[in-house]
Amino acid sequence: MDFDPVLLARLQFAFTIIFHIIFPSFTIGLSAYIATLGVLWLRTGEERHQLLMRFWVKIFAVSFAMGVVSGIVLSYQFGTNWSRFSVATGNIVGPLLGYEVLTAFFLEATFLGILLFGFSRVPPWLYVLSAIVVAVGTMLSAFWILAANSWMQTPAGHEWRDGVAYPVDWLRIVFNPSFPYRLAHMLNAAYLTAAFVVIAVGARYHYSGKHIAEGRTMLRMGIGLAAILAPLQLVIGDQHGLNTLKHQPIKVAAMEAHWDGSKPADFHIFAWPDEKAGTNHFALSIPKGASLILTHHLNGLFPGLLSVPEADRPPVKVVFFAFRIMLAIGFFMIGSALLGAFLWWRGTLFESRWYMRVMAQTWWMGFVAVIAGWVVTESGRQPWIVYNIMRTADATSPIPGATIAGTLALFVVAYGIVFSFGIYYMNRLIAKGPDAVKGKGQKAVGISPIASTKDAGEGIV
Amino acid sequence: MEWYLPLIWAGVIGTAVAMYVVMDGFDLGIGILFPFAKNERERDQMMRSIAPFWDGNETWLVLGGAGLFVAFPRAYAVIMPAFYLPVIVMLLALVFRGVAFEFRLVSHSKKGWSVAFTVGSTLATLAQGVILGGMIQGIKVENGAYAGGPYDWATPFGFLCGLALVAGYGLLGATWLVMKTEGLVAVRARKQSKQFLIAVLGFMAVVSLWTPFAEARIAERWFSLPNFYYLWPVPVVTALVALACWRWIGQKRDAPPFLAAIALFMLGYGGLVISNFPYLVPPTLTIWDTAGAPSSQIFMLVGTLVLLPFVLGYIVLVYWLFRGKVREGESYH
């Protein structure tokens, strides 16, 4: 059997990064939520905020651990699987990752220690401050990693000499053309992801009649946030799309399965793109819809896939369907969040059991939307690793395909085990509810040197 | 500038690796010592002594990797493919031991994740030692790219270095427990410290004798004149530190054995640096051959010099907040 090392290296990276991105996209939002609860606790002194905060910290801990360990893997994979990419772009991508470590990783890792173990050791203000620092750290991390990623999409501020990129203007490298849009889109996605998890948990509690007070707080905070952020995401996404059209038109053509650039583009609600024939089958379309969205004119034109040789086109089906999955979830989020806000405004939110029943099932939506969005943007960049400059096929390490296949299998098995247990444990923590933290550590609010040995035994969750 | 920038960066990365080896060394060491605990309650206590710190400790590994990528991209692009399998095994092992911290607490039975913690910690250590051994033996390079096979690292010397590192991290872990725990765990750790110290000294002696015999350039470095006049104190100081460590363990001191273990590590590390400088990819590529663009090195260096003091500051803060001993039965969260 022949192994294609490029395809395998791509599959391995896709697998490890998709697995990884699940956790940051949750922890970025959740850490902000935890910090908000902490600030509310300090300002109001209400116990329920403190309880909710510590409840979510437990879930955060499990998720963050998986995010950390899967992130370490990525920082080494540039070298193990993409050594020629590392040589060519190390001068640019390297420092961006380096700044991520220095500004974000140490910050998060260190203050996480206080957040997880410091409740009975540090004064409340320092505990809440640690939560805020962790939230800021996760944001900074997103800033740098998206700067690096955006540079690969829309490279700027550098010059190529003998196949190696040299920095010319760091401001232009970091704030490259697609970076502000991507950062806004991703951060907002992370906050939405966490908001829908919070809504789903709140709805689950409320529907099942357990922890009703906590469930209501979660629902109010989650719906309030999502009702603003979900519509906002549509606006940001639209702007991001226009930016992509400007700099990576073929990616947009793949998203819309738009082949012939000489005609206005329809928006396909469904279609089966045929990459060989260069056309779509079974298309169910809104005539000229894509032209209207992307050029704001019914007869506006934008480049089609046929305008470049087949070797320069991304995999159309993958990009096309991933984009539709993201859109579908996005519109559901907007609709359900606005509906929730409407019910809340009418004062019937907590009587609407059907609403709770549906929303309790929506915890996964943000994650799938984030992954789908990443598939759109990364697959849409193909066949380039640095857009229009370096091909993915020229970026791999001198590693035999069989070796990569072997380690890919190891990653699948290992991550499969870790992920299954992680989800199972998080679900169990949620099922136990916020009561599990009640009564613990209360007496220790304030500065007590060491958690008393008496409650140490029950320190196990 | 083209001359001293790579030198400064070699210093920065060398420091990051040293920090990593010592800091993650003691918490990987706890994993290596896990099987010798009597029950899960003792393991709770052992794990509690490192739980607030492990994540920060492991971040030095990321800094080392990222630093290499920034400052010496051509070395990064040779070393990673050369040690492809050990690097991936190490990363996966770190995955299992990392999640074990949290999973152990929320699972029904702690046993399974205690085993994962031990296996992960030990495998990661072995892999790191194998990588180190492979570096010392040299990497086959042609036209600036790795030119060897996927199993070049699998040599007797590599595995010897792997075992040596297990003993080393075991020593760091045991002396850490002496410093940070009370009760039976501390008593046992004191005994283990002595055993691991003997093992470490044995491995150090074997590696120190093996390398100059196997690698002519290393023999040349140590035994040619006038180098020998400057270098002879290294083994002598090592012997003195080992002796002091042994005595402090015997005198039931808390912190000194751990500090002496760190000093031993730094001496061994220094010895390796002396053996291999200025090669980053022995025996072909020096730090100057593999250096990245000066403007990238400067851009990152400015950030490092500004930010690293803050990083060190809040690391000190956390170690201070969680100072003192972890008692018997003291657990988590």
Side-chain angles (χ1 to χ4, degrees):
Chain A
M1 198 165 122
D2 247 2
F3 293 104
D4 174 5
V6 177
L7 183 67
L8 283 163
R10 278 184 59 200
L11 277 178
Q12 187 175 87
F13 202 76
F15 178 75
T16 49
I17 204 164
I18 282 176
F19 179 88
H20 173 68
I21 203 175
I22 292 170
F23 304 104
S25 56
F26 182 43
T27 49
I28 289 170
L30 190 57
S31 59
Y33 180 57
I34 288 169
T36 310
L37 285 168
V39 171
L40 284 175
W41 170 48
L42 284 189
R43 289 190 52 178
T44 64
E46 283 182 43
E47 196 198 329
R48 66 191 171 108
H49 290 132
Q50 185 245 99
L51 275 183
L52 277 184
M53 178 186 190
R54 290 174 59 213
F55 165 70
W56 282 108
V57 163
K58 277 175 196 295
I59 291 159
F60 182 80
V62 175
S63 170
F64 197 86
M66 290 196 276
V68 167
V69 292
S70 57
I72 295 175
V73 170
L74 290 177
S75 69
Y76 278 83
Q77 273 194 325
F78 288 110
T80 53
N81 286 1
W82 304 102
S83 64
R84 286 186 290 166
F85 168 77
S86 305
V87 171
T89 67
N91 294 331
I92 310 278
V93 177
L96 300 179
L97 298 183
Y99 269 98
E100 184 188 13
V101 180
L102 283 172
T103 58
F105 286 171
F106 277 114
L107 205 64
E108 293 170 61
T110 315
F111 285 88
L112 183 76
I114 301 180
L115 194 59
L116 297 190
F117 309 104
F119 186 74
S120 50
R121 281 204 177 217
V122 301
W125 66 267
L126 182 53
Y127 187 72
V128 172
L129 182 67
S130 303
I132 295 170
V133 169
V134 170
V136 171
T138 59
M139 263 170 65
L140 283 172
S141 181
F143 177 94
W144 291 108
I145 204 71
L146 290 178
N149 179 272
S150 299
W151 184 83
M152 291 162 66
Q153 306 273 357
T154 52
H158 66 278
E159 58 178 11
W160 284 84
R161 292 200 302 267
D162 306 324
V164 173
Y166 290 87
V168 176
D169 180 346
W170 279 105
L171 269 181
R172 282 181 57 216
I173 290 171
V174 174
F175 295 95
N176 60 73
S178 66
F179 171 65
Y181 300 95
R182 198 181 311 278
L183 179 67
H185 200 47
M186 177 65 209
L187 283 181
N188 201 31
Y191 295 133
L192 266 176
T193 301
F196 269 78
V197 173
V198 171
I199 292 173
V201 172
R204 174 172 160 182
Y205 285 161
H206 203 272
Y207 185 77
S208 63
K210 281 188 291 186
H211 325 296
I212 287 186
E214 289 89 351
R216 286 188 177 186
T217 309
M218 289 180 195
L219 278 166
R220 282 196 205 100
M221 292 179 82
I223 289 173
L225 189 68
I228 298 165
L229 295 188
L232 181 65
Q233 186 72 324
L234 185 66
V235 177
I236 298 172
D238 175 56
Q239 293 299 310
H240 191 15
L242 294 181
N243 177 266
T244 309
L245 180 63
K246 194 167 153 198
H247 297 281
Q248 298 174 297
I250 299 306
K251 184 195 283 187
V252 172
M255 285 156 70
E256 302 294 357
H258 177 48
W259 298 93
D260 182 359
S262 66
K263 292 184 201 131
D266 300 342
F267 181 83
H268 307 297
I269 295 165
F270 181 86
W272 187 255
D274 183 337
E275 283 152 302
K276 290 242 162 54
T279 184
N280 301 324
H281 304 297
F282 318 113
L284 172 67
S285 314
I286 302 168
K288 303 185 181 181
S291 280
L292 182 66
I293 295 168
L294 285 157
T295 66
H296 298 178
H297 286 290
L298 273 179
N299 291 315
L301 298 178
F302 62 93
L305 286 159
L306 296 175
S307 66
V308 294
E310 205 178 335
D312 290 352
R313 291 177 208 156
V316 181
K317 280 195 200 74
V318 177
V319 178
F320 177 81
F321 285 110
F323 183 54
R324 263 140 203 80
I325 292 169
M326 182 184 78
L327 278 187
I329 292 176
F331 281 112
F332 176 87
M333 283 180 153
I334 294 172
S336 60
L338 290 179
L339 179 62
F342 174 72
L343 292 172
W344 184 10
W345 172 70
R346 275 218 325 211
T348 57
L349 175 63
F350 299 120
E351 279 87 69
S352 309
R353 284 182 63 77
W354 56 272
Y355 184 76
M356 302 293 163
R357 196 170 170 178
V358 172
M359 295 312 282
Q361 307 301 324
T362 58
W363 60 271
W364 52 271
M365 287 197 157
F367 300 102
V368 175
V370 165
I371 292 170
W374 275 98
V375 170
V376 170
T377 201
E378 304 307 320
S379 297
R381 191 192 63 227
Q382 303 301 333
W384 308 99
I385 193 161
V386 181
Y387 197 68
N388 271 347
I389 296 177
M390 184 179 195
R391 281 177 191 270
T392 311
D394 300 327
T396 49
S397 296
I399 302 283
T403 312
I404 307 176
T407 53
L408 174 60
L410 276 180
F411 273 114
V412 171
V413 172
Y415 280 15
I417 294 170
V418 167
F419 188 77
S420 317
F421 276 103
I423 293 285
Y424 170 73
Y425 292 142
M426 276 196 258
N427 187 48
R428 234 180 36 183
L429 285 174
I430 290 170
K432 272 189 188 162
D435 286 350
V437 291
K438 217 179 241 173
K440 268 188 13 193
Q442 239 73 326
K443 50 195 169 290
V445 177
I447 316 161
S448 95
I450 283 176
S452 69
T453 31
K454 192 159 59 70
D455 71 19
E458 62 193 29
I460 308 138
V461 184
Chain B
M1 195 166 71
E2 309 259 322
W3 187 80
Y4 67 76
L5 260 179
L7 207 58
I8 296 174
W9 264 106
V12 171
I13 293 170
T15 310
V17 171
M19 290 294 281
Y20 173 76
V21 166
V22 168
M23 297 178 82
D24 213 27
F26 73 73
D27 69 47
L28 284 163
I30 302 299
I32 293 166
L33 297 172
F34 239 41
F36 305 105
K38 282 280 170 299
N39 50 44
E40 294 300 327
R41 215 172 131 76
E42 287 190 2
R43 291 190 186 108
D44 284 347
Q45 190 189 355
M46 291 163 77
M47 208 171 215
R48 183 67 168 83
S49 76
I50 51 170
F53 314 118
W54 76 271
D55 190 358
N57 294 348
E58 218 160 279
T59 308
W60 291 100
L61 180 67
V62 186
L63 184 66
L68 198 61
F69 189 14
V70 177
F72 305 102
R74 281 185 287 260
Y76 180 76
V78 169
I79 294 171
M80 294 302 152
F83 301 108
Y84 185 77
L85 286 174
V87 166
I88 293 206
V89 165
M90 173 190 81
L91 294 171
L92 284 172
L94 289 177
V95 166
F96 275 98
R97 83 177 280 277
V99 297
F101 278 94
E102 291 301 324
F103 285 8
R104 209 175 147 271
L105 290 177
V106 288
S107 66
H108 285 294
S109 150
K110 296 183 170 185
K111 262 228 170 85
W113 290 108
S114 293
V115 172
F117 187 64
T118 300
V119 173
S121 303
T122 313
L123 256 186
T125 308
L126 271 172
Q128 287 172 10
V130 165
I131 294 168
L132 178 72
M135 294 275 286
I136 295 171
Q137 287 193 312
I139 298 171
K140 193 174 171 201
V141 176
E142 274 165 27
N143 299 324
Y146 177 59
Y151 299 102
D152 281 15
W153 47 269
T155 63
F157 182 72
F159 289 113
L160 175 79
C161 289
L163 291 176
L165 205 61
V166 171
Y169 286 176
L171 174 67
L172 282 173
T175 49
W176 168 265
L177 287 178
V178 168
M179 181 171 75
K180 290 291 284 185
T181 61
E182 290 180 347
L184 287 176
V185 171
V187 172
R188 186 177 314 111
R190 202 163 280 125
K191 241 186 275 163
Q192 287 165 334
S193 297
K194 284 195 168 181
Q195 293 158 353
F196 276 105
L197 180 58
I198 292 170
V200 166
L201 292 175
F203 280 118
M204 274 178 129
V206 174
V207 171
S208 305
L209 290 176
W210 188 320
T211 45
F213 278 113
E215 307 291 329
R217 67 187 163 83
I218 294 177
E220 164 89 18
R221 174 62 51 86
W222 285 88
F223 299 118
S224 67
L225 298 177
N227 289 9
F228 185 71
Y229 295 135
Y230 303 114
L231 297 179
W232 68 264
V234 176
V236 174
V237 173
T238 307
L240 289 175
V241 170
L243 192 68
C245 187
W246 181 271
R247 293 196 51 183
W248 283 327
I249 298 167
Q251 293 166 358
K252 305 205 167 152
R253 304 281 296 272
D254 283 343
F258 180 62
L259 299 176
I262 292 176
L264 265 187
F265 251 86
M266 290 302 97
L267 284 161
Y269 185 67
L272 291 174
V273 171
I274 291 169
S275 294
N276 292 293
F277 187 83
Y279 292 107
L280 202 53
V281 183
T284 44
L285 302 175
T286 67
I287 55 173
W288 292 283
D289 297 331
T290 54
S295 53
S296 299
Q297 292 194 331
I298 290 175
F299 175 64
M300 193 66 226
L301 192 61
V302 172
T304 308
L305 293 181
V306 172
L307 292 166
L308 211 51
F310 286 97
V311 169
L312 292 172
Y314 53 69
I315 287 176
V316 168
L317 171 77
V318 163
Y319 276 83
W320 181 77
L321 279 175
F322 294 95
R323 66 195 178 280
K325 286 183 183 263
V326 178
R327 293 173 196 172
E328 274 176 90
E330 188 172 344
S331 180
Y332 220 120
H333 286 223

